[in-house]
Amino acid sequence: MSKSPVRAQAKGAGRVAVRRDSAVGEQVPDGTNESTKAAKSKPVKAARKTAGKKETAVGAAAGTTETAAKKGAKSAAGKVTRAAAEKASPPTAAAKKVPRGESHTALVRRARRINRELAEVYPYAHPELDFENPFQLVVATVLSAQTTDLRVNQTTPALFARYPTPEDLAEADPEEVEEILRPTGFFRAKTKSVIGLSRVLRDDFGGEVPGRLEDLVKLPGVGRKTAFVVLGNAFGRPGITVDTHFQRLVRRWQWTAETDPDKIEAAVGGLFPKSEWTMLSHHVIFHGRRICHARKPACGACPIAPLCPAYGEGETDPEKAKKLLKYEKGGFPGQRLNPPQSYLDAGGRPAPSLGAG
């Protein structure tokens, strides 16, 4: 029995597949040549791709322009705010901060400028321990641990009057020495050190203080700090004295972030010519004792405030800062009973002897 033309047509119509091309979304009958479909879809795909890129580019450009506009507006607003603040309270020269990311060359220049400024403020800087010879200096420096130079200077006259040479101190009765050194604190340990170093000087160095670092550090109680004090001030050989004041100030000034004394010595030594090391130590230590104190720096009276990254940690009011100054800067006696004449000529006053009213 033959099929009805109508049914045949319906069957053929049933083979029509609805297919949506991803590029154009048109319907094509099943069996259409694939190359024809590809030919139709490629130009459209390319057109869409190009249009997409253009749209993305335009959007990015618009976004960039918008971002720049926002940044510009923010910057302008910031400038206006800062300008208003400065008008209300003008910044002083001391309020300048050292820029972050300071180069090594810039650091060297700033550090050396600080030293030059301090040399003008303290032209009379000197070791603040009384001594007449290398032996007295090495003993006094050992005694200065955990106490002030003033207290040592008030104590050593009696010690050196009783034991003027290494040979004399080497034979001393420890109990008698302890009684003399009691005012300096830790007197038993210090007695052991000064008698011990005197014996080494007598037995190994003929009663003379050696002028070499490697020999000095062999003496009981003598480390690199003490050795450099002796080398720089008794023998004229350059050295950096890394005491508590020196450590505090070089970190405040961001010369180094090191905390180990030997590493501080190496870092700071690299910023200056070797010939300047000894006087650099005196300048920094003088400044630390007189103005840049540990607990409350007198920032408002500091001559190097514009070069200091730590400005503002202490009192910034000039009048209040002046009241914090110590020793000759504050009109008070210094630490030496017998200071150099240059110090006295600059207005410094000698310290009182032990027990003086």
Side-chain angles (χ1 to χ4, degrees), residues 3-260:
K3 295 181 181 179
S4 163
V6 176
R7 294 184 64 184
Q9 186 178 359
K11 188 176 181 181
R15 290 198 301 269
V16 175
V18 179
R19 303 178 64 183
R20 184 172 296 277
D21 186 85
S22 61
V24 297
E26 65 178 346
Q27 293 181 355
V28 295
D30 189 29
T32 302
N33 188 285
E34 291 297 324
S35 60
T36 303
K37 290 190 293 184
K40 289 181 180 179
S41 64
K42 282 184 179 179
V44 180
K45 287 181 180 179
R48 278 199 169 185
K49 188 174 183 181
T50 302
K53 288 183 178 179
K54 287 182 179 179
E55 184 178 351
T56 301
V58 171
T64 302
T65 303
E66 184 180 357
T67 301
K70 287 181 179 179
K71 286 184 177 179
K74 185 176 181 181
S75 176
K79 289 180 180 178
V80 171
T81 303
R82 287 194 298 272
E86 289 176 3
K87 187 176 181 180
S89 178
T92 63
K96 295 178 181 177
K97 291 288 185 179
V98 177
R100 293 182 179 179
E102 184 178 44
S103 69
H104 181 72
T105 300
L107 170 60
V108 170
R109 290 174 179 169
R110 182 169 63 87
R112 294 184 181 183
R113 184 179 172 188
I114 287 176
N115 188 38
R116 290 194 300 270
E117 296 283 346
L118 293 181
E120 293 182 6
V121 178
Y122 310 106
Y124 47 79
H126 58 273
E128 295 191 88
L129 289 169
D130 283 326
F131 69 98
E132 296 178 356
N133 54 56
F135 171 63
Q136 289 187 2
L137 180 57
V138 70
V139 170
T141 307
V142 169
L143 296 179
S144 69
Q146 305 298 319
T147 191
T148 64
D149 286 357
L150 171 59
R151 181 60 68 187
V152 174
N153 292 335
Q154 292 172 329
T155 304
T156 51
L159 180 69
F160 295 138
R162 183 78 175 267
Y163 311 104
T165 69
E167 290 83 0
D168 295 325
L169 192 52
E171 298 296 330
D173 180 347
E175 291 186 0
E176 293 181 1
V177 176
E178 285 179 3
E179 192 59 32
I180 295 174
L181 300 184
R182 186 180 293 273
T184 68
F186 302 95
F187 57 91
R188 291 189 179 87
K190 291 179 180 180
T191 295
K192 184 177 180 180
S193 292
V194 298
I195 290 178
L197 71 84
S198 296
R199 288 173 178 170
V200 174
L201 291 176
R202 179 196 62 187
D203 299 340
D204 298 345
F205 297 99
E208 299 291 333
V209 176
R212 300 194 312 163
L213 175 65
E214 53 268 37
D215 292 330
L216 284 170
V217 294
K218 294 177 182 177
L219 303 177
V222 177
R224 289 179 67 88
K225 184 197 82 171
T226 298
F228 280 129
V229 170
V230 175
L231 289 173
N233 299 289
F235 295 97
R237 297 176 183 173
I240 294 178
T241 303
V242 185
D243 73 348
T244 180
H245 302 288
F246 193 93
Q247 293 184 48
R248 180 178 72 254
L249 267 61
V250 298
R251 285 198 293 269
R252 276 182 177 169
W253 296 336
Q254 294 184 13
W255 287 4
T256 179
E258 298 292 351
T259 56
D260 179 76

Side-chain angles (χ1 to χ4, degrees), residues 92 94-95 117-118 121-122 286-287 290-293 296-306 308 311-326 329-330:
T92 63
E117 296 283 346
L118 293 181
V121 178
Y122 310 106
F286 253 60
H287 191 60
R290 285 151 178 78
I291 297 179
C292 195
H293 312 137
K296 198 170 185 179
C299 294
C302 181
I304 60 165
C308 180
Y311 174 81
E313 288 186 5
E315 181 58 66
T316 57
D317 181 85
E319 293 304 317
K320 292 181 180 179
K322 286 181 182 179
K323 297 178 181 179
L324 300 175
L325 302 181
K326 295 182 179 179
K329 291 299 179 184

